[in-house]
């Protein structure tokens, strides 16, 4: 079984490298946004594509270039969005970038058939130009604001500032009038227009049945079907008085749609006070836009309403209405009227549980300045604790940023804790004062290096189990409650083309075993460098590492490791390919503490743990180890292509890929001890007896074992296997033209885009391979597409593999040198179905050591009705079944006391997740973990259950989500509810989604180790 584990690790590493290499072959969609330095300076968005990328500007009113020179396109937009299609350039997944810029708010990339759609969302009207791709494929979008700077002309009689815009010069300041009839009155210098009148000046357009325009004072009065359109709002009404110089005036019986917010304001009289200032008498505002088909689900009415766009709104004598029926009264109501951040209280969160009592969390958001903000929250749990949480976020420059969180809780109001089980099976020792510290910082350092800090520390071992403020979702909640360590790191890393140098200090807080035994790396030095040899026939690589391991109890000290290696890739004709790797390794130890640390296994088999072992001989202070490793692989591929004109595909490719690997490591000895302790009854005094710790137990210890580098042991191991894959591709332009009739019949119907799967609501044990990583079989491209357009990348529909191993030098299971057999299957034929199966089988014993099954289904016929403000998703079902045989390693050739280490409990668990869409406005979610195992005290039982109901308004302007969670360790039943008014905020606590504040270490800041195949952040 040990060989089976090693084989699975090797296979997983090979797959990770293949995926990383394949990802490296795809175009990397790098996006950069550079804000202008001045008020009128442009904002530049740069998208890294390819030099051959074709640009199709699909923004309404775009002006594509007519010739081969100059910008690819230019134009202006009032819609709030630029839409550009990059043909012949594909990104693997959708992506979005939120930008803190006065002009650009979001840049989104979405893969489509034949290319990538780029959407740039702007906060105000802009003029723009798009460059042609550069020699390295960079496409530049220059966006300039069309909003004119404001000035203060004076103070009105009410004491408010009168805001005006500078008069435009030249043709942009002129007034254009179009109507069925025009009459000019010379005495008064007045123009009278009747019948479908359109008056335009600069960014403002006025339409009405009749308009009287005073040219001397630049004042227009309009009657009948009045509509005023400018960058800030669209206003319609019966009568309007408008000063075109300062853009002030009023509209009677008016309705205003305010930009860029989603508010709709109606009133007997709507005043436009110049710039972004609006007011209404007896007005009503809401974010519900139902197209006039029904009354808004909610609205707020008041005697007077004042709104400053990108600022705040104030309603006096306000009433909150449901379907125009007043239900609440507020003498004074303040609400945000901006899309940018603003300081203020956020809506509170509410919950109730058997452990916490009533839970109330009140957050306050503080927008300190453009580059920093903070969130502070008070958490009251009537049966458990009172606490405060604060998170500070900052951006010092484009490359220097960070955030830190601190939390404090006092549990004086709490009684004796119950329902939480400590690692030793007893009640935890919970302190009265509890805290958490976390944070991360990154910035450039000297010589092109990077300095980073990641902090994560808590007051006690059960903090993450009992305090739920930092659980972003159900899956994250489980990860936090089952954490083995918290880790804090600080270091400097310098990378170059062929290597890196790395200095780091790492501190680990052990949440299970005694903290004095936790190894700390203070510090760790690491470096590596690669170079071509013999004209690129070989690759030489040298890596070295030095670590100072420290802890309070147990052996610790310095370890140095140096490992030069040579890598030889080869091809045997066109059929076979492979590589050989040879490595020498020298490891030296210098211990500053030689007391051994042992794993204690009680005779009862329950309560195994680590402790310092003065009973065992002390280790030598100095030691060295020399090793030589040889590894190699070779493989080939047999493939055949078939015609397949179904589901939007054109061709199928079936491959058979056998592979052979070899690993040789000579014997590497370490001091190993297994010492039975005396019986408690026969030797020790009663006062000193600790059954299962210093008596009635066995000590197991391996000296000089700090990490996986020290665990290298002898191997003479062959692994061999075969994989088969089925891939499909869509037709290219020529094939699509040849099958035009079939294309018309098989093209997917036009509709909204499929919503991405909410990963955090999937079953806990569902393998990622079971979730399809693409959106549907692609429809063939248009017959009018250019012939040179590249077809979409092939899609993997089926993958199956079988891997086995044989160790020449030693028996693996019993007297057999053969390993267990690993089986794997993955099916993703369409985007709404995924299946994975993995198993480890002992063929000689005809037994299954372990297996995992994952199934994912998604509703195929439903698509979101709109891409804007849609809160409904398709029905999805995910199920996983995991089984690990009890004492799965029992056949390993181990005799004597060590056999006790192979006695392990098995696992039989079913995890399920379901979101049931009930129409377009109701949804139900169920998540569960169910243990099928039997214990002496309990049979099959639920480990966790989550139920949630989601109600969505028909106009997508409010949501109600309510849920109940039942979980163990801690034993708790928690009820949560959240009510969201779109545009105002949320009230309550979401059943599954994020929090106002949270532990910074759980959010990756994008800093990854170079060369790691799909590596994670650190």
């Amino acid at each position: 079984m040990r060989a089976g584990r090693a084989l699975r690790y090797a296979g997983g590493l090979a797959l990770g490298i293949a995926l990383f290499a394949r990802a490296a072959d795809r175009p990397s969609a790098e996006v950069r946004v550079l804000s202008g330095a001045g008020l009128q300076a442009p904002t530049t968005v740069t998208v890294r594509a390819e030099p051959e990328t074709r640009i199709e500007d699909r923004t309404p009113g775009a002006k594509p270039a007519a010739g081969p020179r100059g910008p690819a396109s230019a134009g202006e937009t009032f819609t709030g969005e630029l839409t550009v299609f990059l043909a012949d350039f594909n990104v693997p997944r959708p992506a979005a970038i939120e930008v803190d810029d006065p002009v650009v708010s979001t840049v989104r990339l979405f893969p489509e058939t034949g290319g990538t759609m780029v959407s740039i969302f702007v906060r105000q009207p802009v003029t723009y130009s798009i460059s042609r791709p550069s020699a390295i494929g960079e496409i530049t979008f220059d966006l300039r604001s069309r909003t004119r700077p404001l000035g203060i002309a004076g103070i009105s009689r009410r004491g408010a500032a009168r805001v005006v815009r500078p008069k435009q010069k030249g043709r942009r300041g002129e007034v254009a009038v179009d109507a069925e009839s025009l009459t000019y009155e010379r005495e008064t210098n007045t123009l009278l227009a009747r019948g479908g009148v359109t008056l335009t000046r600069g960014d403002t357009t006025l339409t009405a049945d009749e308009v009287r325009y005073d040219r001397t004072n630049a004042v227009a009065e309009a009657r009948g079907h009045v509509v005023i359109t400018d960058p800030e709002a669209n206003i319609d009404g019966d009568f309007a008085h408008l000063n075109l110089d300062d853009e002030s005036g009023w509209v009677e019986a008016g309705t205003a749609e305010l930009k860029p917010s989603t508010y709709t304001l109606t009133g007997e009289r709507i005043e436009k006070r110049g710039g972004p200032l609006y007011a209404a008498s007896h007005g009503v505002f809401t974010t519900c836009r139902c197209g006039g088909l029904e009354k808004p689900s909610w609205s707020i009415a008041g005697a007077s309403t004042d709104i400053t766009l990108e600022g705040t709104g104030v309603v006096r004598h306000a009433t909150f209405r449901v379907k125009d029926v007043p239900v609440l009264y507020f003498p004074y109501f303040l609400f945000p009227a901006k899309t940018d951040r603003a300081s203020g209280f956020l809506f509170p969160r509410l919950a109730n549980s058997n452990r916490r009592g009533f839970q109330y969390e009140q957050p306050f958001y503080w927008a300190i300045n453009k580059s920093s903000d903070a969130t502070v929250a008070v958490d009251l749990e009537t049966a458990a604790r009172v606490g405060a949480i604060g998170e500070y976020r900052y951006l010092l420059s484009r490359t220097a940023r960070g955030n830190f969180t601190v939390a404090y809780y006092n549990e004086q109001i709490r009684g004796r804790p119950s329902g939480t089980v400590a690692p030793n099976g007893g009640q935890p020792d919970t302190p009265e004062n509890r805290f958490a510290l976390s944070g991360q910082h990154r910035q450039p350092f000297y010589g092109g290096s990077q300095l980073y800090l990641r902090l994560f520390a808590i007051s006690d071992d059960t903090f993450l189990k009992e305090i739920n403020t930092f659980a972003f979702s159900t899956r994250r909640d489980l990860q936090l409650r089952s954490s083995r360590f918290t880790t804090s790191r600080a270091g400097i890393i310098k990378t170059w083309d062929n290597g890196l140098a790395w200095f780091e200090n790492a501190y680990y807080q052990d949440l299970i075993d005694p903290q004095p035994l936790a190894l700390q790396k203070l510090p760790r030095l690491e470096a590596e460098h690669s170079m071509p040899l013999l004209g690129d026939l070989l690759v030489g690589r040298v890596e070295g590492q030095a670590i100072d391991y420290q802890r309070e109890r147990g052996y610790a000290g310095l370890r140095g490791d140096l490992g030069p290696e040579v890598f030889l890739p080869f091809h045997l004709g066109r059929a076979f390919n492979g590589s050989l790797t040879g490595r020498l390794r020298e490891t030296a130890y210098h211990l500053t503490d030689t007391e051994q640390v042992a794993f204690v296994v009680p005779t009862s088999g329950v309560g195994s743990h680590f402790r310092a072992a003065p009973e065992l001989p002390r280790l030598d202070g100095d030691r060295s180890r020399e090793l030589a490793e040889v590894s190699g692989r070779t493989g080939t591929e047999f493939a055949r292509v078939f015609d397949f004109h179904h589901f939007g595909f054109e061709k199928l490719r079936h491959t058979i890929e056998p592979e052979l690997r070899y690993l040789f490591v000579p014997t590497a000895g370490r001091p190993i001890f297994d010492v039975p302790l005396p019986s408690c009854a026969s030797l020790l005094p009663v006062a000193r007896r600790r059954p299962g710790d210093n008596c009635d137990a066995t000590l197991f210890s391996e000296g000089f074992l700090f990490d996986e580098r020290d665990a290298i042991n002898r191997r003479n191991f062959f692994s061999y296997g075969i994989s088969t894959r089925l891939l499909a591709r869509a037709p290219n332009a020529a094939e699509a033209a040849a099958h035009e009739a079939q294309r018309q019949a098989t093209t997917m119907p036009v509709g909204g885009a499929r919503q991405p799967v909410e990963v955090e609501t999937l079953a806990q044990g569902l393998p990622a391979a079971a979730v399809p990583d693409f959106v549907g079989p692609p429809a063939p491209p248009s017959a009018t597409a250019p012939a040179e357009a590249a077809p979409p990348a092939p899609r993997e529909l089926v993958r199956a593999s079988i891997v086995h191993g044989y160790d020449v030098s030693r028996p693996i299971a019993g007297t057999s040198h053969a390993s267990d057999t690993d089986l794997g299957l993955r099916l993703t034929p369409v985007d709404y179905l995924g299946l994975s199966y993995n198993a480890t089988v002992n063929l000689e014993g005809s037994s299954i050591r372990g297996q995992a099954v994952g199934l994912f289904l998604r509703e195929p016929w439903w698509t979101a009705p709109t891409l804007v403000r849609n809160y409904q998703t398709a029905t999805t079902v995910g199920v996983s079944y995991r089984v690990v045989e009890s004492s799965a390693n029992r056949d390993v050739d181990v005799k004597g006391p060590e056999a006790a280490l192979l006695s392990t409990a098995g696992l039989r668990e079913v995890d399920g997740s379901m979101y049931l869409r009930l129409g377009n406005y109701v949804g139900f979610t169920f998540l569960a973990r169910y243990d099928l195992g039997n214990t002496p005290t309990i049979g099959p039982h639920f480990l966790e259950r989550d139920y949630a109901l989601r109600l969505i308004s028909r106009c997508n302007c409010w949501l109600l989500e309510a849920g109940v969670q039942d979980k163990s360790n801690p034993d708790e039943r928690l009820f949560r509810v959240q009510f969201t008014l779109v545009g105002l905020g949320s009230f309550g606590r979401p059943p599954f989604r994020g929090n106002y504040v949270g532990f910074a270490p759980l959010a990756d800041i994008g800093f990854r180790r170079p060369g790691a195949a799909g590596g994670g952040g650190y």
Side-chain angles (χ1 to χ4, degrees), residues 60 171 221 223 391 502 552 560 725 750 821 874 892 927 932 955:
R171 299 185 58 87
E221 292 186 347
R223 290 179 174 83
E391 183 177 18
W502 195 354
E552 297 179 32
R725 298 189 298 157
V750 178
T821 302
V892 175
L927 303 177
L932 295 169
C955 303

Side-chain angles (χ1 to χ4, degrees), residues 472-506:
F472 294 95
S473 64
T474 302
R475 291 170 69 91
R476 293 287 180 90
D477 180 48
L478 179 61
Q479 292 173 10
L480 287 177
R481 287 190 285 120
S482 57
S483 297
R484 173 66 189 265
F485 292 99
T486 69
T487 306
S488 298
R489 304 175 186 268
I492 301 171
I493 186 169
K494 165 68 176 176
T495 63
W496 54 90
D497 289 342
N498 299 314
L500 63 86
W502 195 354
F503 172 83
E504 181 184 78
N505 286 281

